[in-house]
Amino acid sequence: SHIELDLKQTQLLPLNTQPEKIHIGSFEDNVQAHQYQEKIAQKNAEISLNNRSQFPVISFYSNYYLYGSDPHNAYDALNDIRPNSWNMGLSIRWNLFEGFKYNSESARLHFELDRINEEYRLAKREFDAQTQISQHKIDRLYQLQKNDVLIVNE
């Protein structure tokens, strides 16, 4: 619900704020700046992951097959292991050509990072402009308050 104000009966009270104590803050302390910084960090992580996909992958594997079995004595089953029951290997995987998939994905990620950085710079410029306007208004209010005090004292 809402309350309707009557302009004739409404009285405005003076602000008891002192302009020199007002601190607007920096853009880096702003929530919007933190959101952009998180997006930039996420995009950098995606670029790093994409770069690591081009590295060779080395894996080691081994296994054995237990052909023998003895329901009464497990040691007899172990004695049935033959030398050809063991396998060991080293696997190396390296993508030599992916049909330019890496190049296009890398270009897309760098383009998106550049776009986010540009949005960050634009938001910072807008914040700085608004801060400057607000600071100018605060200075003007302070000057008016000083003039009002001087007029009252005269």
Side-chain angles (χ1 to χ4, degrees):
S1 94
H2 67 281
I3 299 173
E4 291 188 26
L5 298 175
D6 184 12
L7 295 177
K8 294 181 181 176
Q9 295 180 356
T10 303
Q11 181 182 6
L12 296 177
L13 299 174
L15 291 174
N16 292 330
T17 356
Q18 297 179 0
E20 60 272 0
K21 293 185 179 178
I22 296 175
H23 178 66
I24 296 174
S26 67
F27 179 71
E28 285 72 22
D29 297 333
N30 194 347
V31 174
Q32 187 179 17
H34 289 294
Q35 290 173 344
Y36 279 117
Q37 290 167 354
E38 286 295 321
K39 286 180 183 180
I40 289 170
Q42 179 183 8
K43 200 53 68 177
N44 282 328
E46 286 181 38
I47 289 172
S48 174
L49 182 64
N50 189 41
N51 289 341
R52 282 183 281 162
S53 72
Q54 294 300 302
F55 295 153
V57 177
I58 300 172
S59 58
F60 178 75
Y61 65 92
S62 67
N63 61 2
Y64 69 93
Y65 301 103
L66 183 63
Y67 291 112
S69 65
D70 190 345
H72 303 294
N73 192 354
Y75 291 109
D76 289 340
L78 289 175
N79 290 333
D80 290 339
I81 295 177
R82 297 184 198 109
N84 62 354
S85 309
W86 295 88
N87 289 328
M88 292 174 50
L90 181 68
S91 171
I92 300 175
R93 184 182 63 86
W94 191 356
N95 295 330
L96 298 176
F97 182 69
E98 293 182 345
F100 303 109
K101 177 183 173 187
Y102 170 76
N103 292 341
S104 63
E105 183 70 12
S106 178
R108 182 187 66 82
L109 290 173
H110 280 91
F111 175 74
E112 288 177 2
L113 179 64
D114 291 342
R115 180 185 52 82
I116 293 170
N117 280 326
E118 187 60 35
E119 287 177 5
Y120 177 81
R121 286 190 292 271
L122 177 64
K124 183 172 179 11
R125 280 195 307 265
E126 288 176 355
F127 182 85
D128 290 343
Q130 288 297 325
T131 302
Q132 188 177 13
I133 291 169
S134 299
Q135 189 63 45
H136 180 69
K137 288 179 181 179
I138 290 170
D139 293 343
R140 181 72 177 135
L141 175 65
Y142 181 65
Q143 189 64 32
L144 288 173
Q145 285 178 348
K146 275 176 70 174
N147 289 344
D148 192 31
V149 169
L150 290 174
I151 291 172
V152 170
N153 288 338
E154 289 180 359

